[in-house]
Amino acid sequence: MPAPADPKNLSTRQKMEALIRRKQAEIVKALETQDDVKFRADTWTRGNDGGGGTSMVIQNGTTYEKGGCNVSVVYGQLSPEAVSAMKHDHKNLDLPTDPKTGLPAADGVKFFACGLSMVIHPHNPHAPTTHLNYRYFETWNPDGTPQTWWFGGGADLTPSYLYEEDAEMFHKLHKDALDKYDDKLYPRFKKWADEYYMITHRGETRGIGGTFFDDYNEKDPEEMLKIVEDSFDAWISAYIPIVAKRKDMPFTEEQKQWQAVRRGRYVEFNIMYDRGTQFGLRTPGSRIESIMMTLPVHASWLYDYHAAPGSHEEELIKVTTTPREWVK
Amino acid sequence: MPAPADPKNLSTRQKMEALIRRKQAEIVKALETQDDVKFRADTWTRGNDGGGGTSMVIQNGTTYEKGGCNVSVVYGQLSPEAVSAMKHDHKNLDLPTDPKTGLPAADGVKFFACGLSMVIHPHNPHAPTTHLNYRYFETWNPDGTPQTWWFGGGADLTPSYLYEEDAEMFHKLHKDALDKYDDKLYPRFKKWADEYYMITHRGETRGIGGTFFDDYNEKDPEEMLKIVEDSFDAWISAYIPIVAKRKDMPFTEEQKQWQAVRRGRYVEFNIMYDRGTQFGLRTPGSRIESIMMTLPVHASWLYDYHAAPGSHEEELIKVTTTPREWVK
């Protein structure tokens, strides 16, 4: 099925797609400066459904145990079930009724979505896992009239061991990127991240947070594209020095075990709560390998395992149970 | 809050609770014959909510990498959200409306649930993971009148490497246990297991199946208690000889890696689909360690990793993608 055409939004879509493809190349290049192994590309299409993507992946690198940086551009129909499931987070998304029958329209809502989604799991337990995602979404009613659009995304850091200076720098650079446009954005997106990255059943966030926003269309799309571009750059400027500093630190078997337990928490968050994963698993023709690419090579669940009081491990638990303000 | 009292069902509850406590002891004793390490007991209560349980757990045994056999007895109120979520699988469960307002009753539905739930993950990749759960559930309307009751549960086997004789024996003994009462049960519960243990987004079952049933109240509770007891015994008779035969088989690093990947699938099933996990995570005051006890010490996700054509690994994939009849 061809992408639905709507002249007003076409250019935002095209610009966002061009932006994420450019940023994919820049991110991969920046990450590769810290590893002797190169990322490899996998291009995929959705078969009979519309769209496809390019996954850039690395596994068993010298620095990165596993990582991927995916671009996907998908379009087609959202089923009534998908609309119901997404409605909670997207207030203007609506399932139109068939004017003849008064029942939910069987042909659902047409959508276009494109985004870049990245997760990096380094080997070294002192080097944090990181995630970044920016996406753009549009929907149309069955009669072809535009329904709604939004941007969403953010970036966050998931250390196994807390280095306050890394957390502060990561947050500071993301704040600077947003402050350029509107100094109300960082406080709002930082708080949103603390809420979003919460592993509810554990009462812990998955890491030290970062930024998150969704269903966002309060600003002009042109300005949003700039905000997203600067946020991409903030992540590059923050993460590359962090991984460079941490990737060769000595570590023990016990520290590696702790990392595996923390990555178990990461798995719990990603497959239970992550909206991208939920959307992917509900979208017909999605590529399961690209969705599950975010999951680590080693994850562990130990029975009734707790950080020792006063330990470095406990320091991390404290900031995941009580999110901190990293930028004063 | 004391357990709601209803003379008619009290004895079924008491008998089921006694049965699962007795079977917990027998199962642990049988499993311990194959390990040099003993299970240890953790007793817990739900705090201000009603009930508690006893977890018998083992970690880093000589045969069992991790395993647990939990008894839990919980009672209290199901929230309107929990009732809505469970309604799909439990046709007679209903959220009464407040007669004054016509809105869903704020004090929800009173419930009692008890069950034994067990998962064993051996070290050796030739020895299968196994799961067993039998549970009994009752609900009351806010005015104290009984609403519904049911039994549920089953047992299944999740090998990393297929041994047809193990799968056949496991199914045969469960079939024999059910055939004693009604020869329509095994075919129905076997098919139900093939559907229930499906990892939908992968198009694979988690193992070679077994039995599963839920929301079952077609037989007299007294007969159900006997069926459940014989099913417990069938599992003991099937699994102990299998683990005895497989636990010391030689294996390679690659086979251990394959096992970790299969355990990643186990994690996906348990935290995305398993009804016990979903119920536990939704029940206030549940003990997270006992719910997550089912997750393995080692799980792995490798990007785009597939079994080689003609390999032993592929043999397993074939039976998980096309469930087989194990008893002719």
Side-chain angles (χ1 to χ4, degrees):
Chain A
M1 169 189 333
D6 175 59
K8 183 171 74 60
N9 288 316
L10 195 61
S11 63
T12 305
R13 268 164 35 186
Q14 286 181 317
K15 285 176 192 168
M16 182 65 173
E17 188 177 336
L19 175 65
I20 59 181
R21 290 196 187 276
R22 188 152 43 85
K23 291 297 159 185
Q24 184 184 39
E26 289 176 23
I27 286 170
V28 167
K29 197 175 155 201
L31 286 166
E32 284 180 343
T33 63
Q34 304 302 316
D35 204 296
D36 298 336
V37 175
K38 300 287 172 209
F39 283 66
R40 68 183 176 83
D42 257 355
T43 296
W44 53 277
T45 58
R46 285 176 73 221
N48 292 329
D49 303 297
T54 302
S55 299
M56 294 292 299
V57 291
I58 190 168
Q59 194 160 274
N60 209 18
T62 50
T63 297
Y64 311 118
E65 197 162 79
K66 190 175 173 189
C69 182
N70 288 346
V71 157
S72 67
V73 181
V74 299
Y75 43 85
Q77 301 265 114
L78 289 180
S79 66
E81 294 73 31
V83 174
S84 306
M86 294 171 72
K87 179 103 189 96
H88 177 70
D89 297 315
H90 302 285
K91 54 192 181 304
N92 296 321
L93 183 62
D94 217 354
L95 185 62
T97 46
D98 185 314
K100 284 178 201 148
T101 62
L103 295 172
D107 52 357
V109 169
K110 289 190 180 66
F111 80 101
F112 169 92
C114 70
L116 182 152
S117 172
M118 183 211 66
V119 172
I120 301 292
H121 295 291
H123 286 287
N124 195 304
H126 299 287
T129 286
T130 187
H131 154 261
L132 166 152
N133 165 251
Y134 292 102
R135 55 187 178 267
Y136 173 69
F137 213 99
E138 285 182 13
T139 62
W140 293 264
N141 296 313
D143 66 6
T145 54
Q147 191 184 81
T148 187
W149 62 272
W150 67 81
F151 284 85
D156 72 310
L157 208 60
T158 306
S160 296
Y161 287 93
L162 178 66
Y163 290 95
E164 294 187 344
E165 65 269 37
D166 295 355
E168 285 162 10
M169 194 254 276
F170 189 88
H171 275 267
K172 177 74 166 61
L173 291 176
H174 282 89
K175 178 177 188 296
D176 290 347
L178 297 169
D179 280 358
K180 264 177 69 179
Y181 300 93
D182 180 345
D183 63 10
K184 292 189 195 68
L185 295 180
Y186 172 78
R188 187 168 157 202
F189 293 178
K190 191 274 180 196
K191 183 163 178 285
W192 205 337
D194 287 337
E195 290 161 4
Y196 177 70
Y197 295 116
M198 176 59 70
I199 307 169
T200 313
H201 60 275
R202 298 281 188 182
E204 294 171 7
T205 59
R206 76 173 180 188
I208 59 91
T211 57
F212 182 81
F213 61 98
D214 199 6
D215 198 44
Y216 191 88
N217 57 12
E218 295 167 28
K219 293 193 184 291
D220 183 81
E222 288 297 315
E223 190 175 9
M224 277 311 296
L225 286 165
K226 286 189 197 134
I227 292 174
V228 167
E229 172 148 24
D230 285 357
S231 297
F232 271 120
D233 294 344
W235 177 85
I236 296 175
S237 303
Y239 189 69
I240 304 301
I242 292 172
V243 76
K245 190 157 50 167
R246 306 293 168 210
K247 71 186 173 65
D248 299 317
M249 286 178 70
F251 61 85
T252 65
E253 268 313 294
E254 288 70 27
Q255 290 173 330
K256 195 72 188 156
Q257 174 65 66
W258 172 251
Q259 181 193 51
V261 169
R262 297 311 304 167
R263 288 188 171 161
R265 298 287 199 273
Y266 207 84
V267 169
E268 291 179 25
F269 180 84
N270 279 31
I271 65 187
M272 290 177 80
Y273 302 114
D274 184 74
R275 287 185 196 170
T277 305
Q278 300 307 318
F279 176 74
L281 296 178
R282 266 200 307 269
T283 306
S286 286
R287 184 166 180 262
I288 190 88
E289 286 301 332
S290 295
I291 298 169
M292 295 304 196
M293 179 206 78
T294 64
L295 302 181
V297 175
H298 297 292
S300 187
W301 284 266
L302 299 177
Y303 180 73
D304 218 11
Y305 179 69
H306 303 286
S311 64
H312 283 290
E313 291 78 8
E314 198 202 28
E315 251 187 286
L316 180 79
I317 296 302
K318 281 184 182 163
V319 298
T320 63
T321 49
T322 311
R324 200 185 285 182
E325 290 306 317
W326 295 104
V327 190
K328 307 293 168 195
Chain B
M1 168 187 336
D6 176 60
K8 185 171 72 62
N9 288 315
L10 195 61
S11 65
T12 304
R13 269 165 34 188
Q14 287 181 317
K15 284 176 190 167
M16 182 66 173
E17 189 179 335
L19 175 65
I20 59 181
R21 292 197 186 275
R22 189 153 43 87
K23 291 297 157 185
Q24 183 184 37
E26 290 177 22
I27 286 171
V28 166
K29 196 176 155 199
L31 286 166
E32 284 180 342
T33 63
Q34 304 302 316
D35 204 297
D36 297 338
V37 175
K38 299 288 172 206
F39 283 66
R40 68 183 175 86
D42 258 355
T43 297
W44 53 278
T45 58
R46 284 175 74 221
N48 293 330
D49 303 297
T54 302
S55 298
M56 295 292 300
V57 293
I58 189 168
Q59 195 161 272
N60 209 19
T62 50
T63 297
Y64 311 119
E65 196 162 79
K66 190 174 172 189
C69 182
N70 288 346
V71 158
S72 69
V73 180
V74 299
Y75 44 86
Q77 301 264 116
L78 289 179
S79 66
E81 295 71 32
V83 174
S84 305
M86 295 171 71
K87 179 100 191 102
H88 177 71
D89 297 315
H90 302 286
K91 54 192 180 307
N92 296 322
L93 183 62
D94 216 355
L95 185 62
T97 47
D98 185 313
K100 285 179 201 148
T101 64
L103 297 171
D107 52 355
V109 168
K110 291 191 180 66
F111 80 101
F112 168 91
C114 70
L116 182 152
S117 171
M118 184 212 65
V119 171
I120 300 293
H121 296 291
H123 286 289
N124 195 303
H126 299 287
T129 286
T130 187
H131 154 261
L132 165 152
N133 166 250
Y134 293 101
R135 55 187 177 266
Y136 174 68
F137 213 100
E138 285 181 13
T139 62
W140 294 265
N141 296 312
D143 66 5
T145 54
Q147 193 185 78
T148 187
W149 61 272
W150 66 81
F151 283 86
D156 73 310
L157 208 60
T158 306
S160 296
Y161 288 94
L162 178 66
Y163 289 95
E164 295 188 345
E165 65 270 35
D166 295 355
E168 284 163 10
M169 193 254 277
F170 189 88
H171 276 266
K172 176 74 165 62
L173 290 177
H174 282 87
K175 177 177 188 297
D176 290 348
L178 296 169
D179 280 358
K180 264 176 70 178
Y181 300 92
D182 180 347
D183 64 9
K184 292 189 194 68
L185 295 180
Y186 172 79
R188 188 169 157 201
F189 293 177
K190 191 273 181 196
K191 184 164 178 285
W192 206 338
D194 288 337
E195 290 161 4
Y196 176 70
Y197 295 115
M198 175 59 69
I199 307 169
T200 314
H201 61 276
R202 298 281 187 183
E204 294 171 8
T205 58
R206 77 173 181 189
I208 59 91
T211 55
F212 182 81
F213 60 99
D214 198 5
D215 198 43
Y216 191 87
N217 57 12
E218 295 168 28
K219 293 191 186 291
D220 182 81
E222 289 296 314
E223 190 175 9
M224 277 312 296
L225 287 165
K226 286 189 196 135
I227 292 174
V228 166
E229 171 147 25
D230 285 356
S231 297
F232 271 119
D233 294 343
W235 177 86
I236 296 175
S237 304
Y239 188 69
I240 304 301
I242 291 172
V243 76
K245 190 158 48 167
R246 306 294 168 208
K247 73 186 172 63
D248 299 316
M249 285 179 71
F251 62 85
T252 65
E253 269 312 295
E254 289 70 28
Q255 290 173 330
K256 194 72 189 157
Q257 174 65 66
W258 172 250
Q259 181 194 50
V261 169
R262 296 311 302 167
R263 288 188 172 162
R265 297 289 198 274
Y266 207 84
V267 170
E268 291 180 24
F269 180 85
N270 279 32
I271 66 188
M272 292 177 79
Y273 303 113
D274 184 74
R275 287 184 196 169
T277 304
Q278 300 305 319
F279 176 74
L281 296 177
R282 266 199 308 270
T283 307
S286 286
R287 184 166 181 261
I288 191 86
E289 286 300 331
S290 295
I291 298 169
M292 295 304 197
M293 178 206 78
T294 64
L295 303 181
V297 175
H298 297 292
S300 187
W301 284 267
L302 299 177
Y303 180 72
D304 219 10
Y305 178 69
H306 302 288
S311 64
H312 283 291
E313 289 79 8
E314 197 202 29
E315 250 186 287
L316 180 80
I317 297 302
K318 281 184 182 164
V319 298
T320 63
T321 49
T322 311
R324 200 184 285 182
E325 289 306 319
W326 295 105
V327 190
K328 306 294 169 197

